[in-house]
Amino acid sequence: MQRTAPRLTRILACAAVPVMLVVAGCSSDSGDGGSGSTGSKDKAASSASAAPSPSQTTKTVEPAKFAKLPEACKAIAAATTSSLVPKAKTKNGTPAVSSDLGSRSGCSWNGLDDKGVKGSQYRWLDVSFYRYESDAALGSGQERAQENLAKELAKVEETPGATKVRTTTATGIGDEAKSVAYQLRKTNEDFVYGSIVARTGNVLVLLSYNGAGYAGATTPSDPTIMNGAVKAAKEAVAAVAAANK
C-alpha cells in the first residue's frame, strides 16, 4: 500500500493536464518507457524508408527553346502582306486579342480588290503564335508543341463544310509542318484555302490564307493560295528565331 500511494498521486496529476501532455509525459508510468521510445524510432525509420527519394519524384525535362514570341503583325514582311492582300483594310494588320502576349498572339489582314467590270478579288491572311513552357508534369515545351500541332491539324482538316481536303508534309518550314488545302462555299462564292500548321522548337505557328473571286471574277487557283501561305509561314517561323536572338 505504501508503494501504491505515490503511483496513484502520479496518475491523478497526469489526469489533470491536457491530453497532448499526458501522451508526452505520462504514458510510460507502467515502467516500460524504453519500449515506447523504441517504437517511435521504428515508426520514424519506417516512414523514412517509405518516402520516395528526390530522384523518384522530380522529373527532369528539356528546357523550352524559345522564351519570347515575335510581334505578330510584324512577323510577316510588309511587302509580303501587301502582295497577298493587295487592298487590306488595315495595312499594318489587326492584332488578335490576347491576355498573355508572351504565350499567344496573332494578326490578320483582309481586303477586297475591286477590279471594276472584271469583278473583285477577296483575300484573307492570318497568323497565330502559341508558345509552350517546359513543365515537369506536362513535359517539355517542345513535346507540348508537338502534341498541340496534331490537335490543331485535326481541327483544320475537320473544318465544317470543307471539300477537297488534302494534307501534305510541308518541307523547309520550322522543325515540322503540315499544309492543308481545301475549298469552302460561303457567301455564295467558292473560297480556296491554304493552311499551314508548323512547329519551331516550343512554338506553334498557325497560318491561313484564303481567297475568292466576286462578281464574276476568277476563283484563285489552289497553287496560288498555297504558295502564298507557304511564303508567309516561312517568314513567320523565321520571326520566332529572330525575336529570341
Side-chain angles (χ1 to χ4, degrees):
M1 293 296 292
Q2 291 178 348
R3 297 179 58 185
T4 304
R7 189 168 186 269
L8 179 60
T9 301
R10 290 175 58 194
I11 293 174
L12 293 175
C14 287
V17 298
V19 174
M20 290 182 67
L21 294 180
V22 171
V23 173
C26 302
S27 60
S28 61
D29 182 71
S30 61
D32 58 350
S35 62
S37 176
T38 302
S40 298
K41 291 180 180 179
D42 291 342
K43 290 181 180 180
S46 177
S47 298
S49 63
S53 65
S55 61
Q56 292 176 310
T57 58
T58 303
K59 178 183 178 182
T60 302
V61 295
E62 181 184 4
K65 183 176 182 178
F66 298 118
K68 301 178 182 178
L69 288 179
E71 189 173 340
C73 290
K74 294 182 179 180
I76 301 172
T80 300
T81 58
S82 295
S83 173
L84 298 181
V85 189
K87 298 294 182 179
K89 294 178 182 178
T90 305
K91 184 178 180 180
N92 295 325
T94 302
V97 177
S98 173
S99 59
D100 183 2
L101 291 174
S103 297
R104 52 189 176 276
S105 63
C107 193
S108 63
W109 298 258
N110 71 89
L112 186 68
D113 185 7
D114 189 350
K115 298 184 178 297
V117 295
K118 294 183 179 180
S120 302
Q121 288 289 337
Y122 177 80
R123 296 290 185 273
W124 174 289
L125 170 68
D126 68 74
V127 63
S128 297
F129 297 90
Y130 296 90
R131 187 180 66 84
Y132 301 90
E133 289 283 6
S134 292
D135 186 287
L138 301 175
S140 70
Q142 288 72 237
E143 292 171 334
R144 297 177 65 195
Q146 283 181 316
E147 293 172 0
N148 282 281
L149 183 149
K151 294 177 182 178
E152 294 299 334
L153 177 62
K155 290 179 183 179
V156 176
E157 293 175 325
E158 296 167 6
T159 299
T163 61
K164 301 180 180 180
V165 181
R166 300 175 306 284
T167 300
T168 59
T169 298
T171 58
I173 306 178
D175 295 317
E176 58 179 320
K178 295 288 186 179
S179 64
V180 184
Y182 62 94
Q183 295 182 13
L184 189 63
R185 180 78 176 178
K186 59 182 183 179
T187 63
N188 294 320
E189 302 294 344
D190 293 317
F191 279 72
V192 178
Y193 281 76
S195 293
I196 305 293
V197 182
R199 180 185 68 83
T200 176
N202 59 311
V203 175
L204 204 58
V205 179
L206 310 180
L207 187 136
S208 180
Y209 180 49
N210 66 78
Y214 278 85
T218 304
T219 299
S221 67
D222 288 350
T224 295
I225 294 298
M226 184 55 74
N227 289 341
V230 168
K231 177 177 175 57
K234 287 182 177 180
E235 292 184 10
V237 167
V240 175
N244 286 271
K245 286 184 178 180

